[in-house]
Amino acid sequence: MLTLASKLKRDDGLKGSRTAATASDSTRRVSVRDKLLVKGTCKVHFPDPNKLHCFQLTVTPDEGYYQGGKFQFETEVPDAYNMVPPKVKCLTKIWHPNITETGEICLSLLREHSIDGTGWAPTRTLKDVVWGLNSLFTDLLNFDDPLNIEAAE
């Protein structure tokens, strides 16, 4: 089983043997960012470029109730990734049926175990998470099964 921890260990071993590691790392970071972005509405920021497993995502919906807003999410990819989902928290105070006032998020693909079969699976990617968070402001906005009942009403 390949996990983030084993990949990082393997990459650290390779870095020690490379002399041009810095140039290679910066090129690799750009390609990771490009793969994570949903065109036009999402931006990724790495507060610490040495910790690629922790990043912030800014979603700026271009349609729907939340059009024009800016919403920040903190994402941490655990060592056991891709067997377990990343941990995501909303940093922006928002009145949303699927996000609590403390930043908890109701998004089935972020659940390790889901009754409906739409939860996390090892075949899912970080791009799926970005798409899911972006969709919370459009087609996945759920008033029928809310996490924040007051906001749904």
Side-chain angles (χ1 to χ4, degrees):
M1 162 179 29
L2 179 65
T3 64
L4 180 62
S6 62
K7 177 160 178 27
L8 289 173
K9 284 179 189 172
R10 187 177 52 204
D11 288 351
D12 284 343
L14 292 174
K15 281 183 195 174
S17 64
R18 279 193 253 153
T19 56
T22 309
S24 175
D25 287 348
S26 64
T27 304
R28 204 171 38 200
R29 282 188 195 114
V30 171
S31 66
V32 169
R33 288 179 185 172
D34 290 345
K35 290 179 182 179
L36 288 172
L37 300 180
V38 176
K39 190 174 183 174
T41 61
C42 297
K43 292 185 180 168
V44 175
H45 170 69
F46 292 88
D48 183 347
N50 295 314
K51 294 183 178 178
L52 294 179
H53 64 282
C54 296
F55 60 91
Q56 292 181 349
L57 174 72
T58 303
V59 177
T60 309
D62 58 0
E63 59 183 61
Y65 293 115
Y66 298 95
Q67 180 177 1
K70 257 188 176 171
F71 307 99
Q72 274 201 319
F73 295 89
E74 181 179 69
T75 305
E76 183 179 336
V77 181
D79 287 341
Y81 175 81
N82 64 350
M83 298 308 288
V84 297
K87 295 174 184 164
V88 182
K89 181 177 182 176
C90 184
L91 300 176
T92 307
K93 289 272 189 190
I94 183 174
W95 195 243
H96 190 288
N98 307 111
I99 303 173
T100 66
E101 292 180 55
T102 58
E104 296 172 68
I105 301 165
C106 180
L107 183 61
S108 60
L109 71 90
L110 293 176
R111 292 187 198 136
E112 198 165 344
H113 305 288
S114 176
I115 297 170
D116 61 3
T118 59
W120 186 259
T123 55
R124 295 209 184 262
T125 65
L126 290 174
K127 189 172 184 177
D128 295 328
V129 173
V130 172
W131 278 100
L133 292 171
N134 186 61
S135 295
L136 277 177
F137 299 99
T138 55
D139 55 332
L140 290 182
L141 182 62
N142 188 348
F143 291 99
D144 298 326
D145 185 23
L147 183 61
N148 184 341
I149 297 168
E150 287 184 67
E153 291 174 353

